[in-house]
Amino acid sequence: MDKSRYRAFLTIFFFIAGVCFSTWASRIPTVKASFHLNDAELGTLLLTMPISSLIGLPISGFLVSRFDSRVPLTIAFLGHALALTLIGFASSLIVLVASVALFSFSTRILNISMNTQAITIQKMYDRKINGSFHALWSTGGIVGISFSTLLLKLHVPIHIHFSIVAAFTAIATLIFSNHLLKGDRSEKGNKIIIGKPDPFVLYLGVIVFFSAVCEGGMFDWSGIYFKEVVGEDIFTAGYLIFMTFMALSRFVSDRIVERIGMAKTYILSSALIVSGILLAILFPHFWSALVGFSLVGFGTASVIPMTFTLAGTSKKYSPGLAISIVTTYVIVGMLLGPPLIGYIAHAFGLQRAFIAFAIAGLMITPMSRMFFAHKRKIEAAD
C-alpha cells in the first residue's frame, strides 16, 4: 500500500476541483452582465444550485455504498467539464439554468467522492493531513481565478475560457483517475436511518452550514462587491485575495489544530470571519476590503476540513455516508446563502447584505461548543 502515491494523485483532483469552481465563480459578474440580471434575478439563478444538489443526496448515498469512490469521482469530473462548456456557450436562460444545475449536481458527487478518499487516506497516517487536501483545492482556486483575471484583461470570451478549463479537466481526469485509491467502499453504515437525527452529525452539519454560507458568499459575491461597492474594474482582486489566504491557512491548518485543538480553532475561525466581514463593510475601500477578505479566507479555511475529519469518526454511519450527510449542509449553506444575499442586496444594498455573512460566522462559536459538549458526553458514556 503506497499511501504517499494515493495522496499525491488525490491532491491532483482537489486541485482540479478548485480550478473548476473558481472558474465558474469568477465569471459570475460576466454571466450577470451578459443576461442583464439584477441582484434578485441572479439570486434566483444561484438558487438552482442548492436545489439540484439536494436532488443528488440519495444518488450520492447510492454511489458511495455501491462503488469505490474513484468511480463516481471520475463520472462527476467529466460531468463538471460538460457543465462548464454548456455554461460558456449558453445563449438562453433555460440552457444556462440547466447547465448550472448540472455543474452543481456534479460538484456534490465529486466533493463526496474526494473527501471519502481523503478520510480513508488520513487513517493511514499518524499525523493530520486532511487540511493539506483542501489547501490544494484552494490553490487550484487561486490558479483558476488568476487565469480568469488574465483572460479578462485579454478580453477573451467566456465560452473560450470555459472550454479551455473543461478540456483540461476532462483530459486530466481520464489520465489520472485510474491511479486513485481502490477498494474503499464501506460494507456497513451505508443507509440513512430515518428518525431522530444523530446529534453528532447534526451539530457538525450546522457548523459547516454557517461556514459555507460565508464561503459560498465570498465565492459568488466577492467579485460583484469589488465591482459595485469598492468600484474596481478588475473585480477578481477580492476573490483572488480571499482564495490566496484560504490556501495559505490550509497549508498550516493541520499544525494549528494539533497545537491548540479543534475546539479553539473553531472559535478562532469564527472571530476571523466576523472581523474580516465587518472591516470590508465599514471601510469599503480597496486595501481595507482586501485585508477584510483575507481575514475571511483565513477564518473559513479550517472549518470544513476539520468537520469532515470529525464526521469520518461517526459510530453510526460509514465515513462516506457521514460525509455525504454533512456535505448536504455544506452545499445548502454554500449555495443557499448567495441567492439569499441577492434578495437582501436587491432590497437594502449589497454592502448591508454582507452583514448576513458576519452573523453566520459568529454562529460557528456557539454551535461548535455544543458539538464538543455532546462529544464529551459520548466519550464519558463509553
Side-chain angles (χ1 to χ4, degrees):
M1 181 186 297
D2 189 351
K3 60 183 181 182
S4 297
R5 178 173 171 270
Y6 291 142
R7 180 183 179 184
F9 279 105
L10 182 59
T11 58
I12 293 174
F13 285 94
F14 270 90
F15 176 85
I16 296 171
V19 171
C20 290
F21 193 87
S22 65
T23 296
W24 150 249
S26 65
R27 295 303 292 258
I28 288 176
T30 304
V31 173
K32 182 185 181 187
S34 298
F35 286 88
H36 308 289
L37 305 176
N38 60 36
D39 288 339
E41 289 168 338
L42 177 60
T44 301
L45 171 65
L46 297 176
L47 190 60
T48 302
M49 302 183 77
I51 293 173
S52 59
S53 181
L54 288 174
I55 292 172
L57 174 59
I59 298 175
S60 61
F62 170 80
L63 291 174
V64 298
S65 66
R66 295 297 182 91
F67 302 99
D68 292 348
S69 58
R70 70 184 185 91
V71 175
L73 185 150
T74 302
I75 296 172
F77 271 97
L78 294 176
H80 233 37
L82 175 61
L84 280 175
T85 303
L86 292 174
I87 292 172
F89 281 95
S91 57
S92 69
L93 273 176
I94 294 177
V95 174
L96 178 64
V97 168
S99 304
V100 170
L102 175 60
F103 184 81
S104 174
F105 182 82
S106 59
T107 296
R108 177 185 183 84
I109 304 300
L110 68 85
N111 279 340
I112 293 169
S113 304
M114 289 192 307
N115 283 290
T116 299
Q117 288 235 340
I119 293 300
T120 303
I121 295 173
Q122 169 68 81
K123 293 177 180 179
M124 302 176 186
Y125 285 81
D126 295 328
R127 67 185 190 278
K128 295 187 182 299
I129 63 166
N130 198 30
S132 65
F133 289 119
H134 293 266
L136 264 294
W137 185 92
S138 298
T139 302
I142 294 171
V143 172
I145 187 64
S146 299
F147 188 55
S148 296
T149 302
L150 174 63
L151 296 191
L152 278 169
K153 287 185 176 181
L154 297 176
H155 304 290
V156 175
I158 189 172
H159 68 276
I160 296 178
H161 176 189
F162 279 22
S163 295
I164 293 172
V165 175
F168 162 74
T169 300
I171 293 171
T173 299
L174 294 174
I175 292 175
F176 296 119
S177 61
N178 196 47
H179 298 283
L180 293 169
L181 178 68
K182 302 177 178 67
D184 64 336
R185 181 170 69 92
S186 179
E187 299 296 332
K188 61 182 181 178
N190 288 317
K191 293 184 178 179
I192 297 177
I193 301 173
I194 304 299
K196 185 178 179 180
D198 177 20
F200 186 91
V201 174
L202 176 63
Y203 284 135
L204 291 176
V206 176
I207 290 170
V208 290
F209 168 80
F210 286 119
S211 177
V213 167
C214 301
E215 193 169 328
M218 297 303 292
F219 291 150
D220 291 358
W221 288 99
S222 60
I224 297 173
Y225 192 89
F226 257 69
K227 183 178 181 179
E228 298 183 1
V229 178
V230 179
E232 287 294 317
D233 292 332
I234 305 301
F235 51 79
T236 52
Y239 186 30
L240 178 58
I241 201 70
F242 167 76
M243 291 297 295
T244 299
F245 279 87
M246 175 181 278
L248 290 173
S249 179
R250 281 178 170 169
F251 277 116
V252 300
S253 63
D254 290 326
R255 295 179 182 177
I256 294 173
V257 170
E258 289 180 348
R259 175 163 294 188
I260 69 173
M262 288 188 176
K264 291 182 179 178
T265 304
Y266 276 122
I267 296 173
L268 176 62
S269 298
S270 176
L272 288 170
I273 292 170
V274 173
S275 58
I277 292 293
L278 291 179
L279 180 61
I281 293 173
L282 296 175
F283 305 98
H285 311 295
F286 181 78
W287 290 109
S288 53
L290 278 184
V291 173
F293 283 15
S294 68
L295 291 176
V296 179
F298 263 119
T300 56
S302 300
V303 178
I304 289 179
M306 283 195 301
T307 307
F308 282 166
T309 299
L310 289 167
T313 65
S314 170
K315 296 181 179 180
K316 187 173 184 178
Y317 296 111
S318 68
L321 189 56
I323 291 171
S324 178
I325 296 170
V326 171
T327 298
T328 300
Y329 290 88
V330 175
I331 293 173
V332 171
M334 191 169 291
L335 303 179
L336 191 59
L340 176 63
I341 292 300
Y343 298 133
I344 297 175
H346 186 66
F348 303 105
L350 185 57
Q351 189 173 354
R352 291 188 180 93
F354 261 50
I355 296 173
F357 296 143
I359 295 172
L362 182 64
M363 289 301 298
I364 293 173
T365 293
M367 293 311 305
S368 64
R369 290 173 64 87
M370 292 171 66
F371 167 77
F372 284 106
H374 175 73
K375 186 172 182 287
R376 286 192 293 271
K377 288 181 180 179
I378 295 177
E379 293 170 348
D382 293 340

